[in-house]
Amino acid sequence: MSYTVSVRTLCEFTAKQGDLDLRFTPAPTAQQGMEGHMLVQSRRSADYEAEVALQGDYETLRVRGRADGYDPVAGQLEEIKTYRGNLDAIRANHRALHWAQAKIYGHLLCTERSLQRLKVALIYFNIGTQKEHAITEVFEAADLQAFFEAQCARFLRWAQSEDAHRRARDQALTALTFPWGSFRAGQRALSVAVYRCARAPEGGSCLLAQAPTGIGKTIGTLFPMLKACPDQGLDRIFFLTAKGTGHGLATQALAQVNQQLQSTGAAPLRALTLQARDKSCEHPDKACHGDSCPLAKGFYDRLPDARAAVLEVNAVWDSAHLREVALAHDVCPYYLTQEMARWSDVVIGDYNYFYDGAAMLHALTQANQWKVGVLVDEAHNLLDRARSMYTAELSPLALAAARKNAKGRIRTALNALQRAWNTLHESQQQTYECHAQVPLDFMAALQKAISLIAEANADHPMLPGDPVLGFYLEALQFAVLEEKLDDNALFDITLLAPQRGRKRASILCVRNVIPAPHLLARHAAAHATVLFSGTLSPAAFYRDTLGLPADTPWIDVPAPFKAAQLAVHIVRDVSTRYQDREASVDRIVALICDQFHKRPGNYLSFFSSFDYLERVADALCACPDAPPVWRQVRAMGDDSRQAFIARFQPGGQGIGFAVLGGAFGEGIDLPGDRLIGAFIATLGLPQLNPVNESMKRCMQQRFGTRTGYDYTYLFPGLRKVVQAAGRVIRSENDTGELFLMDDRFARDEVRRLMPLWWG
C-alpha cells in the first residue's frame, strides 16, 4: 500500500528529540507568520524562487511539501521561521524539528535538480524588529539522502504497522456482534439511528437522541459507531463526557467489546482514556521543562520505547495503565497519554478535548485530516460547558497582583490599564450593567499591556505562577473573545462590594450566551456527531443553542418503563416561589413525614438552594418522629460525596437532602430499594438576577420574546427536574414515588416537558 505524507507531518513524527519544554513563549499568529515569510521572500533577488513545490519517494512512501525559498545563484535553500522576542528562547526541540524539515527539503531539491551538495539555511525572522538571523550549513547530497531515508524508514514502519492494525481492526469490527447478545427495549432503535447518522454520505451529519436511563445508551451508541468504521473509513471515535465519572461506563463497554474480539482471536481495540492534567501530574511543584521536571528531561528521546510498551497492553489504556508505563520509562504520564491519542481507535475524554477553543482532539483531527465519529454523552450538559469555554473574565485581583510584581514599561502599561478600567465603572450606578461592546480606549490599553508582556516573556520566559504571566493569559483570552463579540455574547461589568480604604473595583466579562457559532465548526469537522441524553427536549432548543444544522434529526427512544412503576404526585397547594418559601416549609415537612411513614425507605429531597434545603431539613429534624436525615453541603469533596451516596443502602431508611442541579441530581445510580422516591420542591428555574435577565434579553433578540424566556429559564429548569426524578427508576423492576411540589407543575407548558411514560 502506498502512503503520502507532508514534510511537516513526517518530521513531527520522526524528528522530535530532547526535552519536553512547555514554558510559555508568545508565538506569532498565523497571519503574522505568513506576512513574515512574504517579507523575507520579497527581500531576495529576482532569481529567488519562493514556495518551491517538491516531492520524493522512499519505497511506498511519497513525501511532499513546499520549501520556503531557493536562491539558485547562491545555491542556498531556505527554511523561514518567524518568532518573537529573544532568539535564544526558541526551544532546542523546536530547533531540531526546524533542521529536520530543512534537510528533508534539501534532499528533495538535490534529487529534483541533480545537485551534489547544497547550502541549507534556517532563516529566523523576528516579527518585532523585522530582522533576520541566518544559520547555514553545507550538506553533501548523499548525507541529505541518508537523513531522508532514515526518517522515511521510521515513518514507514509506523505507517505499515498502523495499516496492518487498521485492516485487522476493520475486519474484526465487520464481524462484531452485539456484546450483550440481544438488544434491550429501545436500544435497537437507538443503535439503528446512530448507524444511519454514521453512514450519511456527507460529512458533518448530526443526530439528537433522547433515550431514557436503563436501556444502555453507552453501548447502544458505541456499537453502531464501531460497526460503521469499516465501510465509512472512520479513523477514530471520540466518546466525550461532561464529567470524569462518565468515563467508567464507556470503559466498561469497550472492555466488553474487546473481550468479544479477543475470544474470536482478533486484536483488541486501542481505547484511550484521557485524564485531566492536575490528576496526572507526578510533580505538581515543578514546571514542565527539562530543567525542572525529571519526567520532562529527554522526554522525546524515551517516548518511542514508552509508546511501544503501551501498544503491547491489550486492554483499555486507562490512567493507571499509562501511569505504570510512563514511570517505567521515566516520561510524563499526562503527555504520554496525549501522544497515544494519535495511536488510538477510540478516545474517551471530557467535552473540552474537542469543543474548547484550543481543543487537542479537534486540532489533531484537522492536522491529520482524520475522519472521526463523535459521541457526546449526557449532551444536555454541553450548553453550559460550552458557554464557560467561550467566556472570559478579567479579575481586578489578578491585575493588582500583576501591577505589584511588574517593573518598568510593563508596570507603566498596567497602571494605565487600571486607569482605563476605573473609567469603565466610575459612573456605574447599578451593581451589574451590560454593554453592547468593550470601549475602544480600554481595549487599546489592554492590547498594549498584552504586547509588552509578550515581548518581555519572549526575552525572559516567565515561570508558572508568576502573577504577570497569570494576568497575561487571562487578558489574552479576554482579547480573543472580545474580537468575536457579537449578538451571541454579552459584555458586562459587575461592581464588587467596596472595601475600606480601597477604590471601587469591578469584574469585566465577555459572557457567551449562545455557543452555537463556536460549536458549528466542530460539528462540521466530524464525519458524524451523535448527542444523546435522557433529557434532550425540546429538540429546537438544542439545535439552536448548540449550532446543529436545522435539519438535524431528533429521536425519542421509548422508555422500557411503565407508568405504573412511578407514582407521580403534583402537589398543587405548595408554592416554592421565593416569596412563598417560608410558608411552604411546614407543608413540605408534613408531606415528607406522611410519605415516609406510609412507605419507609430511602428518599432524595431536592431544593433550589442550600438555604431552602437547610430550612426544611431543620424543620424536619425538629419533628418528634423524624426519619434519619443527611444533607449535601457546600464544596463537598469526593470523599464526602461518596459518603453521602453510601448512606443509600439496600433496605435502608432516611431522607437525603440535596440541591437540584448539583452533584446528586444526575449521574448517580441507586437501583432497587436503595432509592424508592424523590421530593422535588422547585421547578429548577435559574435564579432571577441581572445576569440571567441579560442572557434572556439576548435570547429574546435572537429567538423571540416567549422563546427567549423558555430558553433561558423554563427548559433548563425542567431538564434538572427530569434528571433528578430519573434517579428513582433505574431498571424495569424498580418502583417508586415522585412528588413534584409546586402548583406550577400542573401547567400545560410544564407537563408537556415531562417524559411521556410518566403518564
Side-chain angles (χ1 to χ4, degrees), residues 35 172 193 269 281 314 381 388 479 576 614 623 700 729 754:
E35 291 171 355
L269 294 170
C281 184
N314 289 330
N381 289 303
S388 66
T576 62
E614 292 294 337
C623 295
Q700 289 176 329
I729 304 298
M754 301 303 175

Side-chain angles (χ1 to χ4, degrees), residues 727-746:
R727 302 312 97 203
V728 180
I729 304 298
R730 308 297 292 175
S731 75
E732 296 177 31
N733 299 318
D734 286 357
T735 62
E737 309 263 350
L738 174 63
F739 292 84
L740 302 175
M741 299 186 290
D742 193 287
D743 60 280
R744 289 170 290 179
F745 281 113

Side-chain angles (χ1 to χ4, degrees), residues 201-214:
E202 300 295 330
S205 63
C206 298
L207 170 69
L208 282 168
Q210 181 167 273
T213 296

Side-chain angles (χ1 to χ4, degrees), residues 607-726:
F607 297 86
S608 56
S609 67
F610 282 103
D611 179 65
Y612 198 9
L613 178 156
E614 292 294 337
R615 291 187 194 184
V616 178
D618 287 345
L620 179 61
C621 290
C623 295
D625 55 350
V629 168
W630 54 97
R631 315 180 193 194
Q632 178 183 1
V633 296
R634 290 179 173 86
M636 291 179 81
D638 290 340
D639 292 342
S640 298
R641 286 196 294 269
Q642 289 302 318
F644 183 95
I645 295 170
R647 293 288 297 271
F648 293 90
Q649 291 295 318
Q653 296 184 9
I655 315 291
F657 279 72
V659 171
L660 191 71
F664 308 111
E666 62 177 279
I668 61 170
D669 196 22
L670 301 171
D673 63 356
R674 290 184 65 188
L675 183 69
I676 64 168
F679 305 93
I680 302 180
T682 172
L683 266 70
L685 305 183
Q687 186 180 14
L688 191 66
N689 59 36
V691 174
N692 286 333
E693 283 294 282
S694 291
M695 294 177 72
K696 182 190 74 173
R697 287 191 291 272
C698 179
M699 289 283 201
Q700 289 176 329
Q701 290 172 5
R702 181 75 178 274
F703 304 115
T705 302
R706 179 62 207 184
T707 301
Y709 171 83
D710 289 345
Y711 279 18
T712 307
Y713 291 106
L714 185 62
F715 297 161
L718 269 296
R719 182 199 72 214
K720 296 176 190 174
V721 170
V722 175
Q723 281 286 332

Side-chain angles (χ1 to χ4, degrees), residues 73-85:
V73 176
Q76 176 169 299
L77 176 88
E78 296 185 342
E79 177 72 5
I80 303 168
K81 299 296 179 184
T82 57
Y83 73 101
R84 301 178 66 169

Side-chain angles (χ1 to χ4, degrees), residues 347-366:
V347 181
I348 305 166
D350 189 273
Y351 294 159
N352 68 283
Y353 284 105
F354 191 73
Y355 288 112
D356 191 83
M360 178 193 75
L361 292 179
H362 178 257
L364 287 173
T365 298
Q366 296 295 93

Side-chain angles (χ1 to χ4, degrees), residues 15-326:
K16 284 186 176 179
Q17 61 186 44
D19 298 350
L20 179 70
D21 195 334
L22 297 174
R23 283 173 286 192
F24 179 81
T25 53
T29 64
Q31 182 64 33
Q32 290 172 331
M34 289 188 290
E35 291 171 355
H37 276 67
M38 293 172 63
L39 180 57
V40 171
Q41 292 163 347
S42 70
R43 293 173 174 177
R44 301 300 186 252
S45 67
D47 297 321
Y48 188 80
E49 301 174 32
E51 304 299 325
V52 183
L54 297 167
Q55 69 177 32
D57 297 324
Y58 173 82
E59 296 183 3
T60 57
L61 180 66
R62 170 157 291 181
V63 180
R64 63 189 183 189
R66 288 183 178 273
D68 291 327
Y70 176 58
D71 185 341
V73 176
Q76 176 169 299
L77 176 88
E78 296 185 342
E79 177 72 5
I80 303 168
K81 299 296 179 184
T82 57
Y83 73 101
R84 301 178 66 169
N86 192 331
L87 181 63
D88 294 335
I90 298 176
R91 310 295 182 221
N93 55 3
H94 290 172
R95 290 174 183 263
L97 191 59
H98 299 161
W99 268 118
Q101 291 173 340
K103 290 164 73 174
I104 295 293
Y105 283 124
H107 163 72
L108 297 178
L109 185 71
C110 285
T111 301
E112 181 182 278
R113 305 198 181 187
S114 302
L115 304 176
Q116 298 301 309
R117 67 181 54 82
L118 180 68
K119 183 189 293 185
V120 178
L122 280 181
I123 307 296
Y124 286 106
F125 178 74
N126 188 318
I127 64 167
T129 64
Q130 306 280 288
K131 293 183 178 179
E132 301 176 31
H133 180 86
I135 305 174
T136 62
E137 189 170 346
V138 177
F139 293 96
E140 297 297 321
D143 294 332
L144 292 174
Q145 179 179 351
F147 180 81
F148 171 79
E149 291 178 350
Q151 307 311 305
C152 289
R154 189 181 304 172
F155 183 88
L156 196 56
R157 285 196 298 272
W158 168 80
Q160 291 170 340
S161 172
E162 285 297 284
D163 181 60
H165 169 75
R166 175 68 170 268
R167 289 172 181 267
R169 182 203 76 173
D170 287 353
Q171 184 177 359
L173 290 178
T174 300
L176 181 69
T177 58
F178 191 62
W180 290 355
S182 60
F183 288 94
R184 294 180 183 177
Q187 202 173 42
R188 179 181 291 278
L190 174 62
S191 292
V192 168
V194 173
Y195 188 64
R196 286 174 177 165
C197 177
R199 294 201 65 191
E202 300 295 330
S205 63
C206 298
L207 170 69
L208 282 168
Q210 181 167 273
T213 296
I215 70 165
K217 292 192 291 290
T218 302
I219 192 67
T221 53
L222 263 172
F223 174 73
M225 192 66 81
L226 288 170
K227 291 293 290 182
C229 284
D231 59 354
Q232 294 302 305
L234 296 186
D235 297 299
R236 280 155 188 78
I237 294 171
F238 300 150
F239 190 97
L240 307 177
T241 70
K243 302 173 184 176
T245 52
H247 295 178
L249 291 174
T251 300
Q252 292 170 18
L254 287 164
Q256 285 182 296
V257 171
N258 277 345
Q259 186 176 5
Q260 181 184 334
L261 292 175
Q262 289 176 291
S263 70
T264 64
L269 294 170
R270 296 171 176 174
L272 173 70
T273 300
L274 300 174
Q275 189 177 54
R277 181 172 172 176
D278 59 349
K279 294 183 178 179
S280 302
C281 184
E282 293 291 319
H283 299 288
D285 59 323
K286 296 178 173 61
C288 292
H289 58 83
D291 296 335
S292 176
C293 180
L295 299 182
K297 188 74 173 177
F299 175 86
Y300 290 110
D301 302 327
R302 295 190 292 272
L303 177 61
D305 288 341
R307 189 169 53 205
V310 175
L311 291 171
E312 293 175 0
V313 178
N314 289 330
V316 176
W317 300 336
D318 60 18
S319 56
H321 279 111
L322 287 162
R323 179 177 184 272
E324 182 180 349
V325 172

Side-chain angles (χ1 to χ4, degrees), residues 435-490:
H435 303 268
Q437 61 183 22
V438 186
L440 295 177
D441 290 348
F442 175 81
M443 285 308 303
L446 184 68
Q447 291 288 5
K448 183 174 183 179
I450 288 173
S451 178
L452 289 173
I453 297 173
E455 290 177 11
N457 191 59
D459 292 334
H460 303 286
M462 302 174 191
L463 296 176
D466 188 312
V468 177
L469 178 61
F471 178 75
Y472 169 79
L473 296 175
E474 196 175 284
L476 200 60
Q477 174 72 353
F478 186 93
V480 167
L481 291 177
E482 187 275 336
E483 287 183 2
K484 301 175 181 178
L485 185 61
D486 56 15
D487 59 1
N488 296 295
L490 310 170

